[in-house]
Structures are given as structure tokens and as C-alpha cells.
Amino acid sequence: MQKERDKLRTDLLVQKNPEIDGLGNSELLESKSPENSAQERLLVFELAWKKEKDIVSKEIEKLRVSIQTLCKSALSLGKVMDYIQEDVDANKLQLQHNENKQHVEAQQKEQSITDCAMEPLEADLAELEPLIKRPAR
């Protein structure tokens, strides 16, 4: 773990100070004085902070783009949902109209059947009514 940290420090130092690129890792680590060590730690900290800041900035940008895409999609979805509700209402009204029409047709058919069945009975009634109204002798 220590070797990995030393390697990272060395890589960061080489990025910041290209003139030390020719030194080997062991020479660089051995050449540290207490002042250089503190400066190197500060430099490593600054470089790590800048890298982290760049990573966070990129992630924030990705998140911003994702949120914008989501908002656009949600707005479109909301409009579609409104249209769907209008279509559902129109279909419901059309269905009610069709059902009412079917019920009227069924009622008219039943009325016709009833009228046909009532014709002979009404004729019989017409024959019997004068007999009923006639006073009994």
C-alpha cells in the first residue's frame, strides 16, 4: 500500500515538475528532505484535489444533462397523458352513445313484438267491450 502511495506521489510530482522525470523512484524518495516532503505532500494534495474537482465537475455535468433529458421526457410524457385522458373520455362518451342506441333499438324491437302480440287481444277486447257495456236484461 505504501509503495502504491509512493508511486502515485511520484507520478503526480512528475506531472507537476517534468524536470524530475529523469530521477528514479528510489532516488526521488531518498532525496526528500523534511521541507521537500512537506512541499511534496502539499503538491500531491493539490493535484489530488484538482483531479477530484475535475471528476466532480464532469459528474455534475453528466447529471445536469441527465436531468435535462429527464425533464424533456417527462414534459412529453405529461402531454401524452393529457391526450390519453381526452381519448379515454371521448371513447367513454362514444361507448355510452352506442349503448344507448342499442338499448333504444332493443326497446323498439320489444315494443314491436309486444304490439304484434297485443293485436289479437285488442281485437278480442274490442268485440267484448260492447257486450260488457250493454245492460243486462
Side-chain angles (χ1 to χ4, degrees):
M1 185 72 167
Q2 181 63 32
K3 287 183 180 182
E4 291 174 7
R5 277 190 255 161
D6 289 343
K7 172 86 171 106
L8 177 62
R9 285 184 189 148
T10 303
D11 291 343
L12 292 173
L13 285 172
V14 168
Q15 286 177 0
K16 186 73 172 182
N17 300 315
E19 67 272 2
I20 62 172
D21 191 22
L23 296 175
N25 288 346
S26 59
E27 293 172 354
L28 182 63
L29 294 173
E30 290 171 3
S31 67
K32 291 183 189 175
S33 67
E35 282 183 16
N36 285 344
S37 179
Q39 287 176 348
E40 288 174 7
R41 276 186 267 154
L42 181 61
L43 182 62
V44 168
F45 174 76
E46 287 176 7
L47 290 174
W49 183 78
K50 285 180 182 178
K51 277 189 173 185
E52 186 69 27
K53 184 178 174 184
D54 288 343
I55 291 170
V56 168
S57 295
K58 288 177 184 176
E59 298 234 355
I60 288 173
E61 181 62 23
K62 287 179 186 177
L63 184 60
R64 184 186 64 78
V65 169
S66 297
I67 289 172
Q68 285 179 342
T69 303
L70 176 65
C71 289
K72 288 177 185 177
S73 300
L75 180 62
S76 300
L77 181 61
K79 288 179 181 179
V80 168
M81 293 297 289
D82 289 341
Y83 293 139
I84 288 174
Q85 186 59 46
E86 289 175 10
D87 288 347
V88 167
D89 292 342
N91 288 342
K92 187 176 180 182
L93 186 62
Q94 184 66 36
L95 180 62
Q96 289 174 348
H97 177 72
N98 290 343
E99 285 177 351
N100 287 343
K101 186 176 177 182
Q102 288 174 353
H103 289 142
V104 166
E105 289 172 359
Q107 189 268 334
Q108 288 173 347
K109 184 178 177 183
E110 290 297 322
Q111 185 66 44
S112 174
I113 293 171
T114 302
D115 289 344
C116 288
M118 291 291 293
E119 281 179 16
L121 297 174
E122 287 176 351
D124 289 343
L125 181 61
E127 290 176 13
L128 294 174
E129 272 185 349
L131 295 174
I132 295 172
K133 288 184 182 178
R134 221 187 284 171
R137 292 189 186 194

